[in-house]
Amino acid sequence: MRLLLRIHTLLVLLFLYLPIAVIVVLSFNQSRFGVQWRGFTTAWYEKLFNNPRIALYAENTLVVAVVSTLIATVLGTLLAVGLYRYRFRGKGLLRFLLYVPVVIPDIVMGVALLLFFAWVREATGFFRLSLFTIILGHVTFQLAYVALVVKSRLASLDPALEEAAADLGAGGFATFRYVTLPLIWPGVLAGALLAFSLSLDDFVITFFTAGPGSTTLPLYIFGSVKRGVTPEIHALSSILIAASMAGVLLGRALLRRR
Amino acid sequence: MATESRKPPEGPPAVELKNVRKVFDSETVALDGVSLAVREGEFFSLLGPSGCGKTTLLRILGGFEVPDAGEVRIAGQDMKDVPPFHRPVNTVFQNYALFPHMNVFDNVAFGLRMKRLPEAQVRRRVEAMLELVQIADLARRRPHELSGGQKQRVALARALVNEPKVLLLDEPLGALDLKLRKELQIELMRLQMELKITFVYVTHDQEEALVMSDRMAVMRDGRIEQIGLPEELYERPRTPFVARFLGTSNLIEGRALEPHAIETPLGPLRVVAELTPGRDYLLSIRPEKLRLSRAPSGGPNEVRARVRDIVYTGAENQYILSAGELELIAYTLNADISEPGYEEYDYGEEVFVRLPPENLVVVGG
């Protein structure tokens, strides 16, 4: 029984990680075409780093990820704290609405945003598709993730702590600044890192909200794949994988801290 | 019984409640028209079983709950629409609620820093306060490195350093073991006398309330059953609930025969209170007020009973007696055997029990 369980675990892990491992391995393969191993090289990485277009796409990706993460972290944290601290009408509904962006299919979200931006553009002349619209699109789903992570951190907090702060003369903001925020800080950081990872490798929503000149790395990878996969793409994918995983691992480590 | 220093101080009320009502979720009545006044400098206890409304009352004073009706005044000032952070009170929370990310010093300094006092002054006052509650050596520790008793002292220091008009304490000793509780009870009384701050103390421990309070209120189902000096409530309970909740009581039903005589299952008894003949009454007498003897003493209200059980508690012997269909509990002090008049009784022995009329209290009717 124990043995079977081990084999099962191993198979699941293989299923999950073998494709990723293949990409990483191929990114170091000397062969330009096909999957045959011709020896180890870092040439594709060098080529990648010397490609000015890719540098621009990487910059776009990072700008989107950093800005959207900052916005989503501030708003998501405030949302979670508001839900934690206050009793008000419609609180249950708001809590439910928080889950919707998490479970709604990305493609629906993407199309909806595209239509919404078109509609607003029609009415106001603003909201031309650009990095700005990608950032807004990313915030819509990041916000929910940040709020949920921070909410779970808040749930482990003794509600008497905020009362104690108020009792000692701290108003709403001072209580947040000196008591609540320091205590939920690991949760806020973890939520931010999760949001950052999600933004970094998002394709679907970016695809629908991107305009000319706002290509990101995932969009570039998708575009290139149609013209045939090159080892450069493997190298790029490997870097994205490493960056996302680092974000998630760091977030987990932070969440575990007291 | 009351020493000079325990005398209730005179002066304007530090806390005044008038007809305070609080209903939760539009059905659970937590407070049902509570009125009381706590004098300045008084150690006042709210005593009652869980769910009686005592904690809600304290939270209303702290500003954490808003009463649905009634008036709350602290130090003469109406507290309507005054948020917790503007009230002249501080709270010692049930589970201390120390800030886990700050050390002891910063915890205690929090209130003073919120008032933006100069840091030198903050330091001086915090250090003096830590000295006063005897934890000066723990200033750099974090709360999770402290024992329960130490946390309690930090919570106390954190509240008292702000020199509140009224200190609110929510079962502050509830989580501690018996020996530590007794120590901290004495410590709290010492602090209160030294600082002359009004204490409003919530507890469900009747002994704690009797020991520490200048005055106390017994609460039940959102109402005050009785309010007064500890010895008043103990010796002269006005309701069966108070008689039973504060210590142990023998409750005896009866119908008045004459203004000072009542027919009971023990036979006719004489009482001091003025009764209306023909009406039913409930009497209470404390176990230590019963007088046991082998031979009849000839005094009033003497009945025969049989020893059914004996509980030895160290300081006293508790006799469970059968007197006709009634069960009586009597405590006798475990004095020296050689002392004149001291007797011990055996299982099954027939004894005489005297219920002194002055100790028979009317608690209902």
Side-chain angles (χ1 to χ4, degrees):
Chain A
M1 198 54 215
R2 252 186 104 90
L3 186 70
L4 277 174
L5 206 66
R6 278 185 190 176
I7 293 171
H8 171 77
T9 310
L10 197 68
L11 285 174
V12 169
L13 285 177
L14 275 179
F15 177 73
L16 286 177
Y17 285 100
L18 203 56
I20 293 174
V22 166
I23 285 204
V24 175
V25 168
L26 286 180
S27 72
F28 292 105
N29 191 359
Q30 278 184 8
S31 161
R32 169 130 198 111
F33 303 104
V35 293
Q36 251 167 347
W37 184 255
R38 293 265 163 80
F40 181 85
T41 178
T42 54
W44 309 120
Y45 285 88
E46 281 158 35
K47 228 180 145 193
L48 195 66
F49 288 125
N50 292 323
N51 184 334
R53 276 200 308 156
I54 291 197
L56 175 68
Y57 303 154
E59 191 193 311
N60 282 347
T61 310
L62 281 176
V63 166
V64 168
V66 169
V67 175
S68 66
T69 299
L70 281 176
I71 297 172
T73 303
V74 171
L75 294 182
T77 301
L78 292 180
L79 180 58
V81 170
L83 279 171
Y84 168 77
R85 194 186 278 180
Y86 301 109
R87 275 179 286 182
F88 52 89
R89 270 163 66 103
K91 182 171 172 172
L93 179 69
L94 186 59
R95 201 175 279 170
F96 167 75
L97 286 176
L98 204 54
Y99 285 93
V100 172
V102 177
V103 295
I104 205 170
D106 278 358
I107 188 111
V108 175
M109 200 76 179
V111 172
L113 283 167
L114 181 67
L115 289 173
F116 175 72
F117 289 146
W119 180 69
V120 175
R121 197 163 54 244
E122 194 89 344
T124 66
F126 290 118
F127 282 64
R128 202 123 35 86
L129 292 178
S130 62
L131 284 186
F132 177 64
T133 47
I134 302 179
I135 288 169
L136 285 185
H138 283 199
V139 169
T140 56
F141 63 86
Q142 284 174 315
L143 182 69
Y145 282 95
V146 173
L148 288 174
V149 172
V150 174
K151 203 160 86 83
S152 76
R153 179 82 191 182
L154 280 166
S156 67
L157 218 65
D158 179 0
L161 291 175
E162 288 206 332
E163 287 185 352
D167 187 74
L168 294 166
F173 181 73
T175 297
F176 177 72
R177 166 76 184 77
Y178 296 110
V179 175
T180 316
L181 189 59
L183 288 172
I184 62 171
W185 188 238
V188 173
L189 276 184
L193 284 165
L194 179 64
F196 186 78
S197 305
L198 288 170
S199 167
L200 208 59
D201 62 6
D202 176 75
F203 171 75
V204 179
I205 288 176
T206 313
F207 181 80
F208 284 102
T209 50
S214 56
T215 305
T216 63
L217 289 178
L219 290 185
Y220 169 70
I221 293 173
F222 179 75
S224 330
V225 164
K226 285 194 293 197
R227 285 175 263 126
V229 195
T230 65
E232 270 174 282
I233 298 300
H234 297 329
L236 186 55
S237 305
S238 302
I239 290 171
L240 277 179
I241 290 165
S244 307
M245 272 169 85
V248 172
L249 285 177
L250 200 59
R252 276 177 52 113
L254 282 170
L255 264 189
R256 253 191 238 132
R257 246 181 37 181
R258 258 177 38 86
Chain B
M1 193 178 278
T3 59
E4 197 56 39
S5 58
R6 294 293 303 278
K7 257 197 186 153
E10 301 298 330
V15 173
E16 209 177 353
L17 297 178
K18 275 186 198 146
N19 282 314
V20 169
R21 221 180 123 74
K22 178 73 190 174
V23 180
F24 286 115
D25 301 328
S26 66
E27 44 186 293
T28 321
V29 180
L31 292 176
D32 192 7
V34 170
S35 300
L36 64 83
V38 180
R39 300 186 191 107
E40 202 174 308
E42 195 170 34
F43 195 128
F44 188 91
S45 293
L46 292 163
L47 176 70
S50 60
C52 72
K54 58 189 191 299
T55 295
T56 305
L57 191 54
L58 201 72
R59 290 176 61 78
I60 283 177
L61 291 178
F64 304 117
E65 304 285 353
V66 180
D68 297 319
E71 201 183 313
V72 178
R73 288 180 165 275
I74 297 173
Q77 202 191 338
D78 190 353
M79 286 293 121
K80 192 168 161 52
D81 299 324
V82 179
F85 49 91
H86 284 148
R87 292 193 178 206
V89 303
N90 285 111
T91 306
V92 175
F93 289 86
Q94 194 165 12
N95 295 313
Y96 321 129
L98 301 179
F99 303 128
H101 57 300
M102 298 180 195
N103 64 24
V104 167
F105 185 95
D106 291 336
N107 261 282
V108 177
F110 191 89
L112 299 178
R113 285 180 178 153
M114 284 300 122
K115 282 188 206 141
R116 303 186 184 283
L117 293 190
E119 195 58 26
Q121 202 180 331
V122 170
R123 174 162 300 274
R124 207 174 52 241
R125 277 173 67 174
V126 170
E127 275 165 4
M129 185 47 70
L130 292 179
E131 204 69 58
L132 188 66
V133 298
Q134 299 164 15
I135 48 170
D137 49 328
L138 302 177
R140 301 286 148 213
R141 298 261 189 98
R142 290 286 192 92
H144 70 269
E145 299 168 316
L146 302 176
S147 71
Q150 291 167 338
K151 282 184 196 167
Q152 184 51 66
R153 287 167 192 268
V154 178
L156 214 53
R158 185 176 69 172
L160 285 174
V161 78
N162 304 293
E163 294 171 358
K165 287 269 192 295
V166 180
L167 184 73
L168 310 172
L169 302 102
D170 188 6
E171 309 224 12
L173 308 181
L176 305 174
D177 63 59
L178 190 65
K179 194 163 172 292
L180 202 54
R181 280 176 90 116
K182 302 257 177 204
E183 271 175 45
L184 279 164
Q185 279 176 15
I186 309 241
E187 172 108 17
L188 273 173
M189 291 164 69
R190 173 182 73 87
L191 279 172
Q192 199 260 340
M193 264 180 228
E194 230 164 272
L195 300 171
K196 299 184 174 62
I197 289 175
T198 311
F199 276 30
V200 177
Y201 190 99
V202 159
T203 179
H204 65 264
D205 183 330
Q206 44 105 0
E207 201 189 314
E208 204 165 278
L210 287 173
V211 169
M212 302 173 80
S213 318
D214 291 323
R215 283 193 313 144
M216 58 196 276
V218 172
M219 291 186 67
R220 177 201 190 189
D221 296 338
R223 290 172 168 279
I224 290 180
E225 284 275 301
Q226 193 175 346
I227 191 165
L229 302 171
E231 43 271 49
E232 245 168 46
L233 266 69
Y234 187 80
E235 303 285 346
R236 302 267 149 208
R238 274 206 299 264
T239 69
F241 180 81
V242 174
R244 265 187 301 236
F245 195 77
L246 273 186
T248 311
S249 230
N250 293 295
L251 294 179
I252 304 161
E253 289 176 334
R255 177 166 290 172
L257 301 166
E258 298 168 31
H260 296 290
I262 183 165
E263 181 62 38
T264 72
L266 296 171
L269 294 177
R270 302 206 58 78
V271 295
V272 174
E274 178 105 19
L275 309 177
T276 311
R279 269 188 59 185
D280 290 335
Y281 289 94
L282 190 61
L283 305 176
S284 160
I285 184 165
R286 297 292 183 187
E288 69 275 12
K289 303 290 202 260
L290 297 183
R291 298 277 170 267
L292 303 187
S293 57
R294 285 215 162 81
S297 65
N301 292 352
E302 197 151 51
V303 300
R304 309 211 65 178
R306 185 179 295 279
V307 175
R308 235 187 46 220
D309 212 345
I310 307 168
V311 180
Y312 172 77
T313 64
E316 55 191 23
N317 285 318
Q318 305 188 345
Y319 293 97
I320 315 237
L321 308 162
S322 294
E325 66 211 75
L326 262 188
E327 182 179 89
L328 296 175
I329 302 176
Y331 298 167
T332 64
L333 208 58
N334 220 338
D336 198 320
I337 293 186
S338 59
E339 213 161 283
Y342 178 75
E343 282 186 284
E344 270 186 32
Y345 307 93
D346 248 324
Y347 287 93
E349 197 178 336
E350 283 259 323
V351 293
F352 289 91
V353 184
R354 197 154 62 81
L355 299 80
E358 63 274 21
N359 298 129
L360 269 172
V361 182
V362 175
V363 294

